[in-house]
Amino acid sequence: MKIVSLLPSATEIVFALGLGDSLEGVTYECDFPNEARSKPVISETALPQDRPMSAGEIDHVVSGFMDRQEPIYRLNKGLIQRIQPDLIVTQDLCRVCAVPSGQVNEALDELGCRAEVVSLDPHSLDEVLDGIVDVGRATGTEVRAKELVDELRERADRVRRTATRLLTIRTFALEWSDPPFVAGHWIPGMVTSAGGENLLNEAGEPSRKVTWRQVADSSPEVIVFMPCGFYLEDAEADVEPLFDIPDFGDTPAARSGAVFATDASSYFSRPGPRIVDGLEILAWCIHPEAFAQPPADRVVRVR
């Protein structure tokens, strides 16, 4: 079977199912596991890559693409035609995150390619894990997929069982800093599972823009910064200036030293097997007295 992944999370799933040798194409963002870096890149970003951009600049450029209804990702159609994949894994959840399945199907029709397209569109942690089984079913590795998911569900259930015995802590999951966005989809449910009271949105809802005033009024006791697509070093750099914003700096979380920066790209933005590591990170941020501290390259207490 020849597989093409148009999602970093799907790439991780494919490798976790032992199908790395069958993976014929990935996106420019696929960097885990290390072997993924050696695969042909079939999806590139249309966003400027000539220099680092601030969070505000990224938001401005992405908004422009969305307003003009221009695709944010470019498919290498010639490479798809040469590969003639049997399976393409993509998503419809977020136009900013990857090539939507509709765009993929249009490209396949144009190329005369008959690949099966599997779209992974989770809105909860359970649906993230269900997606692993879906990929297993599509690749003939359903038994391995179910074994992996059983292991991940047991870890998630362990967090939930511990959290149910603890006080609920008001928790704000910050997905972007300029402008501020509250994290959505699977994150609110993860906050609840980890013993937090999720603030400013409901489980399963998309991420949405909020104001710093709304953040302040919600009185978060813990703030977990998980900027979409950012690794820990960039998250740390981006969170520091937020303390100069009065509505942020005056929150109970900022005053008490309960602001955390995370490796969001690895453990929160990508709905794959490592999302359970993200749940364990969240649990420690919310209840450090009850959960083991994660490795230092995953999360830091900022102040």
Side-chain angles (χ1 to χ4, degrees), residues 169-216:
I169 305 297
R170 296 175 63 80
T171 304
F172 178 59
L174 178 61
E175 186 180 272
W176 200 250
S177 60
D178 185 15
F181 270 74
V182 57
H185 298 305
W186 49 86
I187 298 297
M190 289 170 60
V191 170
T192 302
S193 294
E197 176 189 349
N198 186 70
L199 302 176
L200 298 183
N201 68 345
E202 301 297 327
E205 291 184 354
S207 307
R208 69 180 183 91
K209 189 187 302 186
V210 295
T211 66
W212 291 121
R213 184 68 258 166
Q214 287 174 302
V215 175

Side-chain angles (χ1 to χ4, degrees), residues 60-123:
H60 177 74
V61 172
V62 168
S63 295
F65 273 82
M66 302 289 282
D67 291 343
R68 296 189 299 272
Q69 297 186 333
E70 294 178 6
I72 296 177
Y73 294 90
R74 293 188 293 255
L75 281 175
N76 186 332
K77 296 179 183 178
L79 183 54
I80 293 176
Q81 192 164 39
R82 288 196 296 275
I83 293 171
Q84 288 294 308
D86 302 296
L87 176 68
I88 297 177
V89 188
T90 186
Q91 58 92 56
D92 285 306
L93 193 68
C94 174
R95 283 180 56 200
V96 177
C97 297
V99 181
S101 65
Q103 187 179 337
V104 175
N105 283 316
E106 289 176 6
L108 295 179
D109 289 342
E110 178 184 332
L111 298 171
C113 181
R114 298 178 179 272
E116 178 185 0
V117 178
V118 171
S119 183
L120 301 178
D121 304 301
H123 291 80

Side-chain angles (χ1 to χ4, degrees), residues 2 16 48 50 113 136 140 150 152-153 164 180 193 215 221 226 261 289:
K2 292 181 287 187
D50 56 333
C113 181
D150 285 346
L152 295 172
R153 288 195 195 280
T164 57
S193 294
V215 175
E221 299 170 272
M226 49 181 73
E289 79 287 355

Side-chain angles (χ1 to χ4, degrees), residues 247-258:
D247 282 334
F248 182 94
D250 290 340
T251 59
R255 292 198 304 269
S256 67

Side-chain angles (χ1 to χ4, degrees), residues 16-17 125 129 132-133 143-161 273 276-277 279-280:
L17 297 180
L125 187 147
L129 301 183
I132 296 174
V133 177
V143 172
R144 169 61 188 138
K146 288 182 175 179
E147 290 174 351
L148 173 60
V149 166
D150 285 346
E151 295 168 7
L152 295 172
R153 288 195 195 280
E154 172 53 34
R155 286 171 55 194
D157 288 343
R158 199 177 307 139
V159 170
R160 293 187 185 104
R161 289 194 297 269
V276 175
D277 295 89
L279 177 64
E280 292 166 346

